[in-house]
Amino acid sequence: MQWKVFAFFAVFTAVFVALLWLFQVVLLDTFYKAIKVNEIKSVSNAICSSINSSSLQEELQRVAVDNQICSIVCDGQGNRLYSETAVPNCVIHRLNSWDLAMVYTLTAQNGGSYFERFPQETRQSFTVLDNSLAFVHRQESPEVMISAQLVTRSDGKQLLVLLNSVISPVGATVDTLRYQLIVVSAVMILLGLLLAFLLSRRIGRPIESLNAAAKVLAAGDYDVNFEGEGYREVHELSDTLNYAAHELAKTEHLQRDLIANISHDLRTPLTLITGYAEVMRDLPGENTPENVQIIIDEATRLSTLVNDVLDLSKLQAGVVPMERSVFNLTESVRSILTRYSKLTDYHIVFYAGDDVFVDADELKISQVVYNLVNNALTYTGPDKSVTLRQSVDEGKVRISVSDTGEGIPQEKLDDIWERYYKVDKEHKRAQVGTGLGLAIVKMILDMHGGEYGVRSQEGVGSTFWFELGTVEPDSAAKP
Ligand code: ADP
């Protein structure tokens, strides 16, 4: 990775320097000449279009000064009508009338315009040869450009506009530039390599170290620490990875606890069931309803545990669909409480008020109430009382379940909703639980978009509550 970033920057610098050389040294001459050629052609067109103008002479003067272009305007006989000199030894000003007349004819034969470029020296004794302005090309000599164009004046007379411009050799300039470019290139390459090195370290290094740490994490070591120096994004990435590692560690921890708890929870009732069954088989006098009840209770405990695990995993997998309907929540809570009626030593009270209807999944909401009441019964104090309250406010119904137990420490109030979490890690037989009940409550209420929470005071008791939106009972008739 580091090497790739480095190579990328090195290639980038090389291409940049090569482009600089190409344009500044190799193509400078070509560009310059192309510009000059365009210039003389456009000047010639401009003069032709103002051939009738009274200020033609001034225009020729301006061209001479601004563009260093000499000009002659003559007729078919070679009589000069206008003439302007801009450079010494101008080729066209050495032409006599006969030569001019020849150029006129040549231009006419050439379709009305004529353009020629040749080294200056060869034109010392310029004559029109073989119907062309012949020359021998020699490098590094200034080049002369001749442009001839025929134009018809408004009085019908055809005139020749003959221009002469000199292209100075750029060899010396190129030599200077070449020397400068050698220095610039060397500096550029050095700077480029340095930058490439620094950048590759700054980007590549932290990513490599994150990658190495991620491999350690993938191998199952959740204590790994992701360190991302350098750019903000890398910092954020390492923070996110650290958070993910922390969460994974937490889940693994909770799962380990769960396995320990579940195996304990499974083993205890199973031992009791087997023990009591064996006693009843071997000792006929022990075949009492109390002993049978113990076996039934323990079997129930087992099935609750298995059901909790299954419910939560189904809810998590999202395979249980929501089956909403409008139902009487008050009635539903009441009917759940009747199931506890045989627990005569507990005092369960429900302050309901008027019946309230909600639009929700009745079975799932019953499970919420069931889990909350079960917890309250499990954790309530020696007076064994559990109080349920229903209150309605601004289109919302709140069901709260209070007990008189030991309460939950404030700092643990957030954690109890987590899967497998148990405040009391020491396994008391009386407080058997899977740590899944509240996670199931949370998931079901989240699915309904309902609010929920807990208030607890140590030594006084806890109140768990949830809220759902109320609806009119007759909306039950809705299709
Ligand atoms: P469990 O099956 O262990 O009760 P829950 O998810 O229902 O699992 O509850 C998680 C933990 O929250 C419990 O282990 C218990 O420590 C604490 N808790 C839940 N309800 C109460 C309550 N009414 N009073 C005191 N502690 C409670």
Side-chain angles (χ1 to χ4, degrees):
M1 161 98 190
Q2 278 196 57
W3 275 109
K4 278 198 188 140
V5 176
F6 181 76
F8 175 78
F9 270 90
V11 169
F12 177 78
T13 315
V15 170
F16 187 74
V17 169
L19 277 178
L20 213 60
W21 272 84
L22 185 70
F23 283 99
Q24 291 286 285
V25 175
V26 183
L27 296 178
L28 184 71
D29 191 45
T30 320
F31 278 149
Y32 173 66
K33 283 181 179 157
I35 289 169
K36 282 303 235 185
V37 169
N38 276 340
E39 183 185 48
I40 198 170
K41 284 184 178 166
S42 63
V43 164
S44 175
N45 286 336
I47 293 172
C48 287
S49 53
S50 48
I51 197 74
N52 297 313
S53 157
S54 55
S55 58
L56 185 60
Q57 186 67 44
E58 284 91 76
E59 169 132 17
L60 296 182
Q61 257 169 16
R62 194 178 51 73
V63 165
V65 174
D66 292 353
N67 307 78
Q68 299 288 298
I69 293 177
C70 306
S71 51
I72 292 175
V73 177
C74 65
D75 60 13
Q77 287 72 46
N79 302 320
R80 298 175 189 212
L81 307 180
Y82 303 93
S83 167
E84 201 58 55
T85 319
V87 289
N89 302 323
C90 160
V91 172
I92 57 171
H93 279 91
R94 271 185 261 139
L95 298 177
N96 55 30
S97 320
W98 191 84
D99 286 335
L100 285 175
M102 270 307 279
V103 175
Y104 183 98
T105 318
L106 259 175
T107 312
Q109 283 171 359
N110 211 40
S113 70
Y114 183 89
F115 180 77
E116 187 72 85
R117 237 167 81 180
F118 44 81
Q120 201 165 39
E121 284 92 334
T122 58
R123 305 307 326 143
Q124 289 302 334
S125 54
F126 176 81
T127 44
V128 181
L129 295 172
D130 303 331
N131 289 352
S132 125
L133 303 176
F135 62 91
V136 181
H137 184 70
R138 267 189 45 208
Q139 268 192 336
E140 284 307 287
S141 61
E143 264 188 78
V144 174
M145 280 190 298
I146 304 289
S147 155
Q149 198 169 350
L150 289 183
V151 59
T152 312
R153 216 163 50 178
S154 51
D155 60 3
K157 195 165 184 180
Q158 216 172 29
L159 300 178
L160 173 72
V161 175
L162 190 58
L163 303 179
N164 174 106
S165 159
V166 176
I167 304 179
S168 322
V170 290
T173 319
V174 169
D175 279 348
T176 318
L177 278 176
R178 189 174 291 142
Y179 177 73
Q180 280 188 346
L181 268 182
I182 290 172
V183 179
V184 170
S185 302
V187 173
M188 282 278 304
I189 287 171
L190 276 179
L191 275 181
L193 290 181
L194 189 71
L195 196 71
F197 178 69
L198 289 179
L199 268 177
S200 68
R201 262 173 69 108
R202 211 167 143 77
I203 297 176
R205 268 267 193 87
I207 291 184
E208 272 172 17
S209 100
L210 288 181
N211 190 21
K215 281 184 184 151
V216 175
L217 177 70
D221 180 356
Y222 301 123
D223 292 333
V224 64
N225 188 28
F226 290 90
E227 278 169 24
E229 348 85 36
Y231 294 102
R232 186 170 54 89
E233 286 77 4
V234 178
H235 264 296
E236 280 178 12
L237 177 64
S238 73
D239 286 349
T240 312
L241 287 170
N242 275 327
Y243 177 72
H246 178 72
E247 288 297 302
L248 278 173
K250 211 158 91 179
T251 308
E252 209 212 31
H253 195 67
L254 289 172
Q255 252 162 348
R256 232 183 272 149
D257 276 0
L258 172 83
I259 291 172
N261 289 350
I262 287 190
S263 46
H264 182 276
D265 288 350
L266 285 175
R267 214 177 299 125
T268 318
L270 280 175
T271 316
L272 280 172
I273 290 170
T274 326
Y276 273 86
E278 278 172 358
V279 167
M280 284 159 66
R281 181 195 62 199
D282 299 340
L283 307 170
E286 288 295 321
N287 203 341
T288 61
E290 292 78 31
N291 286 350
V292 174
Q293 189 58 44
I294 289 176
I295 292 180
I296 292 172
D297 287 349
E298 293 305 317
T300 313
R301 208 191 283 277
L302 267 182
S303 69
T304 312
L305 174 68
V306 172
N307 283 340
D308 271 4
V309 175
L310 285 179
D311 281 349
L312 187 69
S313 56
K314 273 196 272 175
L315 281 172
Q316 269 179 327
V319 290
V320 244
M322 280 270 280
E323 284 171 14
R324 277 181 187 272
S325 63
V326 173
F327 66 93
N328 186 332
L329 177 68
T330 322
E331 190 49 50
S332 184
V333 174
R334 259 193 225 112
S335 82
I336 291 168
L337 294 182
T338 54
R339 295 187 218 169
Y340 294 98
S341 55
K342 64 181 168 101
L343 298 175
T344 44
D345 46 344
Y346 284 88
H347 312 287
I348 306 178
V349 202
F350 181 29
Y351 297 107
D354 292 340
D355 282 12
V356 175
F357 287 76
V358 293
D359 181 10
D361 186 323
E362 185 168 7
L363 209 69
K364 294 198 177 71
I365 295 298
S366 302
Q367 193 171 3
V368 168
V369 177
Y370 210 77
N371 285 1
L372 294 182
V373 173
N374 265 345
N375 277 352
L377 289 171
T378 310
Y379 299 103
T380 194
D383 67 349
K384 300 205 165 184
S385 78
V386 169
T387 312
L388 285 92
R389 277 191 186 81
Q390 171 188 292
S391 57
V392 184
D393 190 25
E394 290 183 1
K396 281 188 175 168
V397 55
R398 175 187 280 230
I399 301 283
S400 56
V401 184
S402 311
D403 62 59
T404 57
E406 288 172 19
I408 306 161
Q410 292 300 313
E411 69 275 10
K412 308 225 161 126
L413 283 182
D414 284 340
D415 293 333
I416 53 171
W417 304 93
E418 300 245 9
R419 283 166 293 161
Y420 315 132
Y421 188 85
K422 289 174 147 206
V423 174
D424 185 6
K425 294 276 161 57
E426 278 180 31
H427 218 80
K428 287 188 203 151
R429 184 74 188 121
Q431 296 188 352
V432 66
T434 54
L436 295 175
L438 289 180
I440 293 174
V441 167
K442 173 175 169 356
M443 207 161 255
I444 292 175
L445 290 171
D446 281 341
M447 281 169 88
H448 282 84
E451 301 269 310
Y452 52 87
V454 55
R455 286 190 313 273
S456 189
Q457 205 179 338
E458 279 185 85
V460 178
S462 317
T463 300
F464 284 79
W465 58 267
F466 70 90
E467 283 179 355
L468 292 171
T470 56
V471 292
E472 289 300 314
D474 47 346
S475 54
K478 258 188 346 192

